[in-house]
Amino acid sequence: MLGLYNIPAHLPFLDTLAQGVIEEMGGLGDDPATLARVTILLPTRRAAMALREAFLRAAGGRTLLLPAMRALTGLSVEDADELALPGLLDLPPAVDAPRRQAVLTALVLRLPPRYGGPSGPEQAWRLATALAELLDEMALEGCDPLALPGLVPEEFATHWQVTITFLRGVLDAWNQWLEEQGLMDIGPRRVAALEAQAEAWRENPPADPVFAAGIGAGGTIPAAAALLKVIAGLPRGAVVLHDGMEKMTPELWEAICQSPTHPLFGQSRLLQDMGAVPADIRPWHGLGGAHLEPAGVPVGDPGLARRAELLGRVMRPAAGIGAWLDRQPDYWKPALAGLSLLEAADVQAEAVAIALLLRQALETPGARAALITPDRDLGRRVAAELTRHGVLADDSAGQPLGETPAGAFLRLLARAVAEGFAPVPLLALIKHPLAAGGMQRAAWMEAVRLIERRALRGPRPAPGLPGLRARVLEALGRERDAALLASALGLLDALEAALADFSELPDSPARPPADLLDAHLIAAEALASTDTRPGGLRLYAGEEGEPLAVHLASLPPAFRELAPMSPASWPALFDVALEGPLAPSIRISRGREGGRHPRVAILGLLEARLQHFDLAVLGALEEGVWPQATDPGPWMSRPMRADFGLPAPEARIGRVAADFLLAAASAPQAVLARARKRAGSPTVPSRWLTRMETFLAGQHDGGPGLALDASPALGWAAALDVPA
């Protein structure tokens, strides 16, 4: 019998998991190394860190050695020695992600624009990003590239026939390049790691316990499902799932298996791959026998258990929606305790109200509060509003490198040069806190303000640094302005010396992108230097500097795979090269005393998985944001993806639906927040909000139906901003 277990959605997953592991190991006893023999696989590294804290809480302050905890997605060659995977050492190393991106960009550039090809390197880079995602998805889902020729029958549009023909050529060229370089693609390498681990444990089952916890609620790949099946079959292995919304009939389960947008669709795929059914799932250790209420519901807050059941009923697939006709308002009223709705006029009003909710939660000693949202803009707004209340809470999901101060400085430099040092991009560059040009920062800013007032507030100078110099000489050429002219010319001399080979980006002649990057970074470091500190130390300082430096160091070998390009296209290509990687989001706390608040968090959906909070605000619940729009991508249509064996785009909605359900079901206080307008345009409420309002409105005994309570935070915000 497979070791399949379940922790219901309304219980704190990691604390319940920790207690169950301790119980499985016979308690802590007198041996602090008891737990060190256990291996636990989790969906994210953040969940592994939170589980460490859960074990410490469960130990009550006792000294103990913790289990080995790893993220399932981290089973790469770096973990091979720890996990004893000698088979991985025989495989070629994985290609670096930036280098793969550049090679695919070069291949995409071969597609003529008249057939849908890119019009420039930056568009090719974005198409290559989508192509890399498709290659990873094909590898992770176990699709056969040889099936590509049969995807486009004659009745399909010519565009798709051309696309598939080109895609076949790209795959052939890509695989040939990998073979020549002695490398392996990232997706197949990850699948090989999972398969090697499954084979190792299948042939030599470990004597010590192995648990996989919280994996599969939003779905997982076939190779990971095969590994989980091996773990569930180990003598001391267990797979612990996270669900338990309501009783599941065979008909309802069959409907869920056919509904990609349902939160349990991913788990249904996992169970199918494992050859299991819901009846095979047992309560986790400590949740059976006397720990069950008469109705079979595990011990916990009865209101939260009812809320989880309500969410499951609301999110049923169309085939199970007939249960909405059962009117039981008294049964569902307890489910609404602690659940409220916040509908703000716009995103900024939503952020102000959410910040007040998070601040109010801190009035309860020991309470933990979090904003959970896929909208990074909302996270930044809430972090900024929290500083108004003396609370520092950076967005834990991070920020793109291009949006960090140093990344913005690099981008501004490229734009200023490309636009011939026009006044607006020039001032944005030289006013940046990193700009100093080898001068004392105070002297630099004094000269900047002088040039802005006397030379740039009038007719636009001629393009380039010579035109700027001529405009300064014209504006400050009088004898009485000699001292001011010397200050302004000193800045221009420093600017010209710093930029050197990077003072213009003409349409031609073509230059290798690696050379442009080298000139760009040399100019940036020279411009960032002061009279006492080198520019490199200033540019790559702090927590954000290290990931930026690492990423920039990976770009030269990648860009050497690209053909020479027009220098005028460089700023756009450099911008897209900084879009993907993330850096820690520490902008809010920079320059302020004290660290981030230990009881307030701003999390993305991935970071929030398996976490537990006393107050959870689920923000940006709007169609197109949460859930996101379903897009099959530029390389395959929906029918082609289905014929090829790839998941439907709607499966992504199922994954984020699981995040919504588990976050809303587990927090004693949960606020569902949305903005009625975004960027000036009306928004559509998330389908889950609409379903909930419709279901609750139908729960009545002839009178008004049920409804979610309105959060008082909007009233607090009005009283705060417009006092009596």
Side-chain angles (χ1 to χ4, degrees):
M1 185 176 182
L2 292 176
L4 282 172
Y5 297 88
N6 172 61
I7 294 177
H10 68 280
L11 295 181
F13 184 87
L14 295 178
D15 289 278
T16 308
L17 175 67
Q19 291 284 2
V21 171
I22 292 173
E23 180 177 318
E24 169 69 11
M25 299 303 292
L28 297 176
D30 298 327
D31 184 4
T34 299
L35 295 177
R37 297 191 295 270
V38 178
T39 298
I40 303 177
L41 302 181
L42 295 149
T44 65
R45 299 185 189 279
R46 185 176 295 273
M49 291 166 40
L51 182 57
R52 294 188 183 100
E53 299 176 3
F55 272 112
L56 295 177
R57 287 192 295 269
R62 295 182 55 184
T63 301
L64 73 162
L65 295 176
L66 295 174
M69 291 173 277
R70 300 185 184 89
L72 182 64
T73 54
L75 289 179
S76 60
V77 72
E78 289 78 13
D79 299 323
D81 294 335
E82 295 180 3
L83 294 174
L85 300 180
L88 280 184
L89 302 179
D90 298 331
L91 296 175
V95 62
D96 292 333
R99 195 176 180 196
R100 175 177 75 161
Q101 180 76 23
V103 174
L104 292 178
T105 299
L107 294 175
V108 169
L109 281 168
R110 299 178 184 178
L111 182 62
R114 66 178 182 275
Y115 292 124
S119 59
E122 73 282 358
Q123 290 189 11
W125 190 274
R126 288 197 171 97
L127 281 173
T129 300
L131 179 57
E133 293 173 355
L134 177 63
L135 292 176
D136 285 342
E137 194 174 15
M138 289 165 55
L140 298 178
E141 293 294 336
C143 298
D144 183 8
L146 297 178
L148 278 174
L151 284 183
V152 187
E154 292 300 325
E155 61 268 18
F156 275 38
T158 304
H159 161 71
W160 288 119
Q161 298 186 39
V162 172
T163 300
I164 290 299
T165 301
F166 178 75
L167 190 57
R168 288 172 54 197
V170 166
L171 288 177
D172 292 341
W174 171 238
N175 290 327
Q176 181 180 352
W177 184 88
L178 288 172
E179 186 176 350
E180 292 172 353
Q181 300 294 323
L183 298 172
M184 196 171 181
D185 203 357
I186 296 173
R189 193 66 172 69
R190 180 181 164 198
V191 170
L194 295 170
E195 291 175 345
Q197 183 63 73
E199 185 64 24
W201 279 342
R202 189 182 295 112
E203 293 183 356
N204 299 294
D208 295 322
V210 178
F211 303 128
I215 300 168
T220 189
I221 62 175
L227 175 60
L228 295 180
K229 184 176 181 179
V230 171
I231 294 173
L234 294 175
R236 302 191 67 183
V239 174
V240 187
L241 304 175
H242 195 196
D243 60 61
M245 303 174 298
E246 58 177 336
K247 286 186 176 181
M248 197 70 63
T249 64
E251 294 77 17
L252 178 58
W253 182 251
E254 182 62 29
I256 289 174
C257 293
Q258 304 299 322
S259 178
T261 60
H262 192 274
L264 289 186
F265 175 76
Q267 191 176 107
S268 72
R269 282 191 61 194
L270 173 62
L271 292 181
Q272 288 173 359
D273 292 342
M274 297 177 66
V277 295
D280 296 330
I281 303 175
R282 292 167 283 170
W284 178 236
H285 303 297
L287 301 180
H291 296 270
L292 290 178
E293 296 178 357
V297 178
V299 170
D301 186 338
L304 281 180
R306 191 64 54 81
R307 187 197 298 174
E309 188 179 353
L310 168 67
L311 291 168
R313 182 68 58 89
V314 165
M315 301 177 77
R316 279 189 172 192
I321 212 169
W324 286 19
L325 298 177
D326 296 335
R327 291 182 169 86
Q328 299 174 297
D330 293 335
Y331 182 83
W332 295 116
K333 279 181 182 177
L336 302 182
L339 189 63
S340 59
L341 177 66
L342 191 156
E343 286 192 297
D346 54 34
V347 177
Q348 180 58 27
E350 181 184 8
V352 172
I354 290 174
L356 286 168
L357 285 169
L358 299 177
R359 174 62 185 86
Q360 191 268 345
L362 297 179
E363 294 298 306
T364 303
R368 298 176 66 239
L371 165 65
I372 301 171
T373 178
D375 183 11
R376 304 276 59 83
D377 175 63
L378 177 62
R380 286 191 291 269
R381 290 173 183 265
V382 171
E385 288 295 327
L386 281 171
T387 61
R388 182 177 183 180
H389 311 297
V391 177
L392 299 182
D394 287 314
D395 187 349
S396 299
Q399 61 181 339
L401 289 177
E403 295 180 11
T404 63
F409 175 71
L410 292 170
R411 294 170 58 214
L412 287 172
L413 173 57
R415 289 293 173 187
V417 174
E419 296 183 28
F421 299 96
V424 172
L426 171 66
L427 289 174
L429 171 66
I430 60 180
K431 283 187 173 183
H432 193 282
L434 286 174
M439 299 168 55
Q440 194 177 37
R441 174 67 182 173
W444 173 272
M445 284 307 301
E446 183 179 352
V448 167
R449 286 188 284 268
L450 171 65
I451 292 176
E452 179 185 9
R453 290 195 311 269
R454 300 290 294 272
L456 298 180
R457 295 185 180 180
R460 180 169 177 163
L465 289 177
L468 181 61
R469 183 179 291 273
R471 183 71 185 92
V472 167
L473 290 171
E474 178 185 349
L476 299 171
R478 291 172 294 188
E479 184 176 346
R480 64 183 182 183
D481 292 330
L484 300 179
L485 177 62
S487 174
L489 292 179
L491 183 144
L492 293 182
D493 291 340
L495 187 61
E496 288 181 348
L499 299 188
D501 189 38
F502 196 70
S503 59
E504 61 176 350
L505 291 172
D507 287 336
S508 60
R511 293 179 63 184
D515 291 354
L516 289 168
L517 175 66
D518 188 48
H520 187 169
L521 297 183
I522 290 174
E525 292 183 15
L527 187 59
S529 63
T530 65
D531 58 332
T532 60
R533 197 174 183 199
L537 294 181
R538 300 185 69 225
L539 195 60
Y540 307 120
E543 291 184 49
E544 297 164 326
E546 182 179 354
L548 177 63
V550 169
H551 180 63
L552 291 176
S554 71
L555 289 181
F559 281 156
R560 279 194 283 272
E561 303 290 345
L562 294 175
M565 56 177 281
S566 166
S569 301
W570 171 250
L573 178 61
F574 185 74
D575 281 356
V576 298
L578 293 185
E579 283 181 354
L582 298 176
S585 178
I586 61 171
R587 188 179 304 181
I588 294 299
S589 58
R590 183 179 287 108
R592 294 183 170 89
E593 294 183 359
R596 306 172 200 176
H597 202 288
R599 294 193 286 130
V600 175
I602 300 174
L603 303 172
L605 303 188
L606 186 65
E607 292 78 25
R609 283 180 186 166
L610 306 187
Q611 308 290 319
H612 178 74
F613 301 96
D614 299 283
L615 167 68
V617 181
L618 281 62
L621 285 169
E622 301 138 23
E623 287 294 312
V625 183
W626 192 2
Q628 71 272 49
T630 57
D631 181 10
W635 294 103
M636 282 191 182
S637 65
R638 290 173 184 270
M640 290 160 59
R641 288 178 60 90
D643 292 344
F644 197 51
L646 292 173
E650 286 74 17
R652 301 168 193 162
I653 295 181
R655 288 194 287 271
V656 298
D659 293 323
F660 167 80
L661 185 145
L662 296 174
S666 62
Q669 298 291 323
V671 180
L672 312 181
R674 64 171 290 258
R676 288 191 291 269
K677 280 191 174 182
R678 179 176 289 270
S681 301
T683 63
V684 177
S686 171
R687 63 192 68 192
W688 308 312
L689 286 180
T690 303
R691 277 173 158 259
M692 184 171 294
E693 291 175 346
T694 304
F695 174 77
L696 292 176
Q699 298 299 313
H700 59 80
D701 290 326
L706 301 178
L708 292 172
D709 291 334
S711 171
L714 290 175
W716 302 343
L720 182 69
D721 292 332
V722 189

